[in-house]
Amino acid sequence: MTTTSGDDMLGRGLRLLTVLADHPAGLGVSAAARAAALPVSSAHRLLGRLAAERFVAYDEDTRRYALGARVLELSRGFQRSPAGYSAAAAPMRRLADRTGLPAIAGILHDADVLLVLTAQGTQHLQLRSAEGTRNAWHATSLGKVLVAGLPEHERDELLAAGLSAVTARTVTDPAAVREELDAVRERGWAEVDEENEVGVRSIAVAVPPPYGQAPRLAVSLGAAVALTGADELRSHVPALRACAEDIAAHMDH
C-alpha cells in the first residue's frame, strides 16, 4: 500500500483550488477530478478537507464545489501585504479622484494581464475590472505597456504565441502589434480603443522598475467612449505618470 506525501497532497489540493477558480459556478466531484487530473476518490477526499477548512463551499442541492470564503480572506490579506501592491492603493485612489476615472493596476501573468488593484472614479462606468480578472495582454493598454518593456526575445515569444480577437477592434496581426509596441516603448505609454471591451478605451503607463529590470506593474485609466474622447483621455497621461512614479517611490522592489 502506498501513501501520498504531504507535499503531493498539498499540490493536489492547490490544483483543485485552481480548477475551481476557473469555474465560478462550481463543479461536481467527477468534473473537478477530471479537470485536475486526479482520481475521483482523491479529489473527493481533498475537496471534503478543503470544505471543512472553508477554502471550498459545497452546495448540497447541485452537488457542486466552488471556492469558499477563506479564499476571499486570503485575497484580502494579499492585497494588504507588500507583495499585494498595497503601496499602489493610495496613489491610485488620488488618481481616480483627480480624473474621475477608474484606475486599474495589473501585472503580466503568462500571456494574460492579471488585474491586482482597482480604484473607482466618479464617472459612471462599469468595467470588467474586478481584481483577479484576466485579460489578453495584446487587447489591453496595461498589457501593451508591460510587454513593450520586456526584453526582445520575451516580446517575440508572446507575439508568436498567437493573438486572438477579443472584440472586432482587437489588433491581431503580430507585425502591427510589434510596431505598436515599438511606439509604446518610445513614448512611454499605451492606449487601446475598444480592443478589450466594446465602448471602453484606456491608457496605461508602467510603474518605473529598478534600474536594468523590466516593469512588473502598470497602471491604467479606463473611460467610456461615449463620455471621454481619445484626446481628453490622453491629457491624463501626466497624472498617470505621476501616479506611477509615486507608486515606485513607495514600493518594496
Side-chain angles (χ1 to χ4, degrees):
M1 178 178 178
T2 60
T3 59
T4 304
S5 70
D7 286 346
D8 193 29
M9 291 290 286
L10 175 61
R12 291 180 173 196
L14 292 173
R15 274 157 55 194
L16 282 168
L17 289 176
T18 301
V19 163
L20 293 180
D22 291 334
H23 296 83
L27 289 173
V29 63
S30 296
R34 187 164 51 250
L38 294 175
V40 173
S41 58
S42 296
H44 187 268
R45 185 169 61 253
L46 285 165
L47 287 168
R49 180 61 186 273
L50 289 167
E53 298 292 338
R54 298 189 301 121
F55 288 99
V56 163
Y58 178 64
D59 188 321
E60 293 186 359
D61 293 330
T62 63
R63 296 186 177 182
R64 286 174 174 256
Y65 292 90
L67 292 182
R70 185 68 181 132
V71 174
L72 177 60
E73 293 170 7
L74 290 179
S75 173
R76 294 301 184 193
F78 169 76
Q79 290 169 4
R80 292 191 296 269
S81 73
Y85 309 104
S86 58
M92 287 175 60
R93 177 72 265 160
R94 289 191 290 269
L95 177 67
D97 289 343
R98 176 179 176 181
T99 63
L101 301 173
I104 306 162
I107 62 173
L108 278 178
H109 194 270
D110 299 325
D112 295 325
V113 168
L114 177 64
L115 307 186
V116 297
L117 204 61
T118 61
Q120 291 302 314
T122 56
Q123 187 182 93
H124 182 66
L125 177 62
Q126 297 296 321
L127 297 176
R128 296 199 305 266
S129 58
E131 292 154 4
T133 299
R134 287 176 174 272
N135 292 309
W137 73 266
H138 62 281
T140 66
S141 58
L142 286 168
K144 288 181 179 181
V145 79
L146 287 168
V147 172
L150 292 177
E152 186 173 357
H153 72 278
E154 293 185 34
R155 295 201 306 273
D156 289 345
E157 288 176 4
L158 286 169
L159 288 167
L163 309 175
S164 60
V166 181
T167 73
R169 300 197 62 171
T170 308
V171 180
T172 59
D173 176 54
V177 175
R178 186 191 304 277
E179 184 176 346
E180 184 179 0
L181 293 177
D182 289 340
V184 169
R185 193 180 183 99
E186 181 68 23
R187 70 179 180 237
W189 56 273
E191 65 180 339
V192 297
D193 204 336
E194 300 188 271
E195 290 187 51
N196 185 60
E197 193 170 351
V198 175
V200 176
R201 55 170 51 106
S202 70
I203 55 173
V205 302
V207 174
Y211 180 76
Q213 296 185 24
R216 62 187 180 96
L217 181 71
V219 183
S220 72
L221 285 171
V225 169
L227 299 176
T228 306
D231 288 339
E232 182 182 352
L233 186 57
R234 291 174 193 140
S235 73
H236 294 308
V237 167
L240 195 53
R241 281 183 168 144
C243 173
E245 290 167 1
D246 194 5
I247 293 169
H250 293 91
M251 229 173 142
D252 181 9
H253 292 284

